[in-house]
Amino acid sequence: MAFSTLLQLFLVFSLTFASEAQREIKAESGDDVTLQCQSPRAVTLLEWSRADLKSDGYLFFYRNERSYGNYQHPSFIGRVQLKDPEMKDGDVSVILKNVNINDTGSYECRVLISSTDGRERDLIEIKDRVSLTVGETGETAENVWTEEAIDEEKKDGFGVMIVLTVVGVVVLLLLILLLGLVMFRKHQTSVKRPSYRLQSETGSVLLKV
């Protein structure tokens, strides 16, 4: 049980580490922009928000297997949709349509996933951030992320996650091995050593355990 929990925590740590650096996207007014976010499995709650608008509503809000348009900020109504409505492979990215200079800002993806046994108290949080800069039409947009670039970055993130996961499993196995060795040695020292006592009357040796 403890080992399974450690693996879950390490997986979440790997995903968080892989997405720790804030992604930067540059676009022109009128573009449709994909804001990328990844979850290790089916989500319980998904919140997309912008830091300076969070108190007034969300970019996108999803809970209990449905989205809630009434929680959206007015400026995003009708302009946001999931990249993959079925969220296959944990893809919780969203597409922001027809962006304009007022959409410039820092966006946060917040995901809650439940543990494998589905207990409410075992919810795990994952966050990812994307910085979007929108310029007027005609301005240089050499750093605009195409779908191909996003998919390539997604593959790189998974590669880092796999490497970190393998390293974590190896470390956990070494810790378990070390713990077993310590317990074995402790057990060995707790065993009483046999002592010898001379019986003066007969000259024989008795073994006292």
Side-chain angles (χ1 to χ4, degrees), residues 156-176:
D156 292 341
F158 272 117
V160 173
M161 182 186 69
I162 291 173
V163 172
L164 290 175
T165 301
V166 171
V167 172
V169 170
V170 172
V171 171
L172 285 174
L173 290 176
L174 289 175
L175 288 175
I176 292 172

Side-chain angles (χ1 to χ4, degrees), residues 186-194:
K186 187 175 181 180
H187 175 72
Q188 288 284 76
T189 56
S190 66
V191 176
K192 293 183 178 180
R193 295 181 179 178

Side-chain angles (χ1 to χ4, degrees), residues 19-23 106-109 127-131:
S19 60
E20 187 177 16
Q22 180 170 278
R23 298 182 180 89
S106 179
Y107 293 82
E108 180 182 83
C109 167
K127 289 185 178 182
D128 201 356
R129 292 178 177 82
V130 180
S131 176

Side-chain angles (χ1 to χ4, degrees), residues 42-189:
V43 304
T44 299
L45 173 72
L46 169 63
E47 296 174 353
W48 270 101
S49 60
R50 201 173 90 187
D52 58 330
L53 300 176
K54 191 171 183 178
S55 60
D56 300 321
Y58 295 94
L59 172 74
F60 185 82
F61 187 89
Y62 175 97
R63 184 176 62 190
N64 298 328
E65 301 183 354
R66 57 160 293 191
S67 60
Y68 290 81
N70 55 313
Y71 289 168
Q72 275 188 308
H73 187 279
S75 65
F76 299 127
I77 293 177
R79 296 201 295 134
V80 184
Q81 67 181 47
L82 285 168
K83 179 183 176 183
D84 183 351
E86 297 181 3
M87 293 189 283
K88 294 178 181 177
D89 301 321
D91 187 355
V92 291
S93 306
V94 294
I95 298 175
L96 177 58
K97 299 179 179 179
N98 192 27
V99 297
N100 56 69
I101 57 175
N102 294 323
D103 292 323
T104 296
S106 179
Y107 293 82
E108 180 182 83
C109 167
R110 177 174 177 263
V111 176
L112 288 183
I113 59 174
S114 60
S115 63
T116 52
D117 55 14
R119 292 179 296 179
E120 188 71 18
R121 63 186 178 86
D122 284 341
L123 291 177
I124 301 172
E125 181 182 65
I126 298 174
K127 289 185 178 182
D128 201 356
R129 292 178 177 82
V130 180
S131 176
L132 173 63
T133 302
V134 182
E136 294 290 351
T137 303
E139 292 182 1
T140 178
E142 59 185 17
N143 291 324
V144 172
W145 283 33
T146 63
E147 292 296 326
E148 292 78 8
I150 291 174
D151 289 338
E152 189 64 31
E153 196 277 342
K154 182 177 176 181
K155 292 178 182 178
D156 292 341
F158 272 117
V160 173
M161 182 186 69
I162 291 173
V163 172
L164 290 175
T165 301
V166 171
V167 172
V169 170
V170 172
V171 171
L172 285 174
L173 290 176
L174 289 175
L175 288 175
I176 292 172
L177 181 61
L178 180 61
L179 180 61
L181 183 59
V182 171
M183 293 179 66
F184 176 76
R185 288 185 175 178
K186 187 175 181 180
H187 175 72
Q188 288 284 76
T189 56

